[in-house]
């Protein structure tokens, strides 16, 4: 009999619950609220069978475009052939986690606004752009001693002592 | 001793999944909790209130709680140990006391939300099934009954508290199937029987039976009632007074107990402990020196 290609094929380990984390899922999953335009990670919870996304979307991050009674509509990018389609799926809240991808950006926004306000008060011009790490600065090598290493001729008698 | 195979091997412990803390303590039913606190996502942060009733051996706790990730928030609470303030000092865990506690909590919440004039509820407790009618201005306060882990049999005291809250004017979805006085055969709630329970009629009946048949047991069992001069005949009027007192002033009163002693938060370091010891020895030596000087 050939292997099937059903919706949940090849998901034996992917959808399995982690070691010693079976049973009731913690309440925070149900208590987090999601707003349209926010970002979420899709991570399937194998214990909840309803509203499961297809295995392709496991591990994808997308934007929330719809909020219903028990599910979230997520817009995820999928490459089909030579183009990327924005796919809209509905997923139950148990299979979704709030994403931290924008967290750093938000913090940086706040900090930059603060820096700009301070600079404006002082009257100086600053750039809040992020710069990539440049090449390391040059340095002098300290405490280096010179040791000349030359090859020694192969000594048949001594090297073969021990057995041949 | 015969050879006993070790039941709980190291492998057993390695694979053991510890249940949630409150499940280990046997205090929370997570299946029920998930279903009670789950709010529609398109209602975002609107709180979903549960009317929690819990019984201990000598007290009844009634609370209105909304769930939060950091921890549940209590909107209002009422305990049956507050009932002495309204004139009820004995029988604090019976059906009638549960009714009073539910009534107290309901009126307290409505007063907190300034809805107590709009929603009077059922002023005269008749035992009939009463549901709040929404007025034109505001919708009634809605909560869901959370019984916890008790067995919901007909006539359980939890439903006494539920009846109290309903008569206070809260909107709690319910059916009259589990009120005291519901007959399975007739499939109907006998309002008279229920009213009897609300006013402690069942307690009064037992008092009368004991007075007739076993006066010594009556003396021992109802000693606190006798001490306060509560007889089988004046139980109903007592509860009527308590209901009226609750409706008059349901506000919570802060207890005048002193705040608890603050324990040391961090352990003292080795140096600090040594320094303390040295100080103590100094004072001891000084005291001892003074005493020895007196002796000399």
């Amino acid at each position: 009999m050939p292997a099937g290609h059903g919706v949940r094929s090849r998901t034996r380990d992917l959808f399995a619950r982690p070691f010693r984390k079976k049973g009731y899922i913690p309440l925070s999953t149900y208590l987090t609220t999601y707003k349209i335009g926010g970002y979420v990670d899709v991570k399937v919870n194998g214990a909840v069978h309803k509203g499961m996304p297809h295995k392709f979307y496991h591990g994808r991050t997308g934007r929330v475009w719809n909020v219903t009674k028990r599910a979230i509509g997520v817009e995820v990018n999928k490459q089909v052939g030579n183009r990327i389609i924005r796919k809209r799926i509905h997923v139950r809240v148990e299979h979704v986690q709030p994403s931290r991808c924008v967290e750093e950006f938000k913090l940086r926004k706040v900090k930059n606004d603060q820096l700009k306000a301070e600079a404006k008060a002082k009257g100086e011009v600053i750039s809040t752009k992020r710069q990539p790490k440049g090449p390391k600065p040059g340095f002098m090598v300290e405490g280096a001693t010179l040791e000349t290493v030359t090859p020694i001729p192969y000594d048949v008698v001594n090297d073969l002592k021990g057995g041949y | 001793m015969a050879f006993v195979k070790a039941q709980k091997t190291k492998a057993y412990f390695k694979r053991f999944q510890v249940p949630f803390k409150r499940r280990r303590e046997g205090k929370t039913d997570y299946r029920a909790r998930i279903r009670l606190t789950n709010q529609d996502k398109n209602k975002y942060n609107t709180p979903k209130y549960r009317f929690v009733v819990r019984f201990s051996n000598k007290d009844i706790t009634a609370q209105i709680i909304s769930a939060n990730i950091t921890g549940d928030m209590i909107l209002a609470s009422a305990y049956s140990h507050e009932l002495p303030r309204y004139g009820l000092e004995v029988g604090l865990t019976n059906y009638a006391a549960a009714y009073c506690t539910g009534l107290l909590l309901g009126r307290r919440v409505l007063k907190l939300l300034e809805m107590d004039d709009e929603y009077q509820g059922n002023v005269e407790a008749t035992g009939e099934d009463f549901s709040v009618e929404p007025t034109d201005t505001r919708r009634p306060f809605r909560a869901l009954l959370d019984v916890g882990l008790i067995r919901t049999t007909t006539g359980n005291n939890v439903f006494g508290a539920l009846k109290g809250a309903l008569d206070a004017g809260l909107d709690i979805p319910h059916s009259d199937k589990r009120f005291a006085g519901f007959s399975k055969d007739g499939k109907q709630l006998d309002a008279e029987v229920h009213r009897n329970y609300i006013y402690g009629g069942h307690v009064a009946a037992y008092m009368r039976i004991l007075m007739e048949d076993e006066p010594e047991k009556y003396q021992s069992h109802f000693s606190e009632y006798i001490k306060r001069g509560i007889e089988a005949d004046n139980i109903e009027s007592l509860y009527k007074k308590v209901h009226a007192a609750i409706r008059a002033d349901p506000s919570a009163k802060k207890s005048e107990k002193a705040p608890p002693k603050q324990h040391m938060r961090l352990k003292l370091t080795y140096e600090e402990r040594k320094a303390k010891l040295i100080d103590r020895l100094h004072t001891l030596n000084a005291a001892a020196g003074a005493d020895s000087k007196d002796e000399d």
Side-chain angles (χ1 to χ4, degrees):
Chain A
M1 240 182 94
H5 300 290
V7 169
R8 285 184 62 168
S9 74
R10 303 162 193 176
T11 59
R12 176 180 185 170
D13 292 325
L14 188 65
F15 287 177
R17 296 291 290 137
F19 183 54
R20 289 191 305 174
K21 291 230 168 33
K22 299 201 172 77
Y24 284 110
I25 55 186
L27 268 278
S28 51
T29 353
Y30 296 101
L31 294 171
T32 38
T33 53
Y34 298 96
K35 290 206 169 132
I36 295 180
Y39 285 88
V40 290
D41 302 333
V42 175
K43 187 174 167 200
V44 173
N45 185 325
V48 180
H49 302 145
K50 290 195 167 185
M52 246 195 211
H54 184 259
K55 65 176 185 279
F56 167 79
Y57 299 101
H58 181 90
R60 309 283 155 173
T61 306
R63 254 189 73 252
V64 177
W65 65 276
N66 188 18
V67 174
T68 68
K69 189 163 144 183
R70 299 267 180 252
I72 311 283
V74 188
E75 203 175 52
V76 179
N77 288 339
K78 181 176 187 181
Q79 180 178 8
V80 182
N82 60 344
R83 68 206 190 282
I84 297 182
I85 303 181
R86 293 217 304 253
K87 305 268 289 183
R88 295 190 151 189
I89 55 171
H90 279 98
V91 185
R92 265 200 173 217
V93 294
E94 293 91 330
H95 309 292
V96 146
Q97 285 172 353
S99 182
R100 290 182 59 186
C101 58
V102 268
E103 185 183 298
E104 187 256 342
F105 171 61
K106 283 200 182 124
L107 289 174
R108 198 157 53 83
K109 250 197 338 190
V110 170
K111 199 159 71 94
N112 282 350
D113 287 341
Q114 192 197 27
L115 288 173
K116 282 192 207 160
E118 282 174 15
K120 191 158 179 197
K122 278 193 258 178
E124 39 182 57
V125 178
I126 54 157
S127 163
T128 53
K129 284 185 190 286
R130 291 173 297 176
Q131 294 291 352
K133 252 184 0 196
K136 283 196 287 225
F139 60 97
M140 293 295 282
V141 177
E142 302 286 324
T145 52
L146 238 33
E147 185 186 329
T148 313
V149 179
T150 49
I152 50 172
Y154 183 60
D155 189 357
V156 182
V157 179
N158 281 331
D159 287 336
L160 286 180
K161 240 192 209 133
Y164 58 93
Chain B
M1 233 190 76
F3 175 72
V4 181
K5 181 177 170 172
Q7 266 316 74
K8 286 186 175 174
T9 59
K10 191 167 161 194
Y12 166 84
F13 287 112
K14 278 188 164 198
R15 298 197 59 82
F16 187 75
Q17 179 182 337
V18 185
F20 289 157
K21 182 170 98 150
R22 287 216 115 216
R23 171 64 192 92
R24 274 179 274 142
E25 294 169 359
K27 289 183 180 174
T28 304
D29 173 6
Y30 278 97
R31 180 176 194 276
R33 186 176 156 78
I34 287 176
R35 282 154 176 77
L36 277 169
T37 55
N38 200 0
Q39 175 68 290
D40 298 355
K41 290 294 148 241
N42 44 12
K43 292 187 184 161
Y44 298 99
N45 280 319
T46 316
K48 201 166 192 176
Y49 294 106
R50 349 175 241 140
F51 171 57
V52 168
V53 185
R54 299 282 187 271
F55 285 78
S56 83
N57 281 338
K58 295 184 191 167
D59 196 7
I60 308 177
T61 306
Q63 295 168 316
I64 302 279
I65 308 183
S66 68
N68 232 325
I69 296 181
T70 42
D72 288 1
M73 305 294 267
I74 315 265
L75 187 65
S77 67
Y79 300 85
S80 72
H81 63 68
E82 293 180 44
L83 291 177
R85 192 176 138 209
Y86 298 97
L88 181 68
E89 287 165 339
V90 281
L92 293 177
T93 50
N94 60 25
Y95 200 93
Y99 180 90
C100 293
T101 315
L103 179 68
L104 177 57
L105 177 66
R107 293 311 296 167
R108 196 169 274 179
V109 159
L110 290 177
K111 182 152 185 195
L112 195 71
L113 300 169
E114 291 164 20
M115 291 206 285
D116 53 348
D117 297 315
E118 263 178 83
Y119 288 101
Q120 292 288 345
N122 200 7
V123 188
E124 174 73 39
T126 53
E128 278 174 357
D129 193 9
F130 172 81
S131 294
V132 194
E133 307 278 312
T135 61
D136 299 322
T137 41
R138 274 174 87 166
R139 285 178 297 135
F141 182 81
R142 194 186 185 88
L144 306 172
L145 179 65
D146 181 346
V147 289
L149 289 150
I150 62 122
R151 189 85 182 80
T152 50
T153 49
T154 315
N156 194 310
N157 292 354
V158 149
F159 300 108
L162 171 65
K163 187 78 178 105
L166 290 169
D167 284 354
L170 300 187
D171 177 17
I172 304 176
H174 67 284
S175 102
D176 54 1
K177 184 167 147 195
R178 291 298 177 201
F179 288 136
F182 185 86
S183 76
K184 252 197 334 191
D185 310 318
K187 297 244 189 329
Q188 254 200 1
L189 174 67
D190 190 344
E192 272 304 310
V193 175
H194 197 203
R195 188 191 173 287
N196 200 29
Y197 269 81
I198 290 173
Y199 285 112
H202 56 307
V203 179
Y206 188 50
M207 280 171 95
R208 289 195 188 97
I209 291 173
L210 278 190
M211 270 199 292
E212 273 276 338
D213 299 334
E214 290 172 81
E216 310 91 43
K217 189 165 174 204
Y218 171 73
Q219 293 293 329
S220 73
H221 193 92
F222 286 105
S223 57
E224 292 289 317
Y225 282 71
I226 296 169
K227 229 194 296 185
R228 289 171 176 79
I230 298 173
E231 313 240 302
D233 301 318
N234 42 13
I235 278 190
E236 177 163 333
S237 55
L238 168 71
Y239 280 112
K240 277 213 177 84
K241 275 200 246 137
V242 175
H243 295 337
I246 288 176
R247 279 186 181 269
D249 179 25
S251 52
K253 199 166 68 149
K254 287 263 165 196
S255 67
E256 289 106 28
K257 278 197 298 202
K261 246 179 27 175
Q262 296 280 4
H263 294 286
M264 291 284 297
R265 287 253 119 182
L266 299 162
K267 275 168 78 167
L268 299 176
T269 65
Y270 180 63
E271 280 89 53
E272 287 170 358
R273 275 182 275 148
K274 249 189 7 187
K276 267 181 100 169
L277 178 63
I278 291 172
D279 287 336
R280 221 173 58 200
L281 287 174
H282 274 315
T283 48
L284 267 177
N285 282 335
D291 288 344
S292 60
K293 275 203 214 116
D294 288 344
E295 281 168 15
D296 287 346

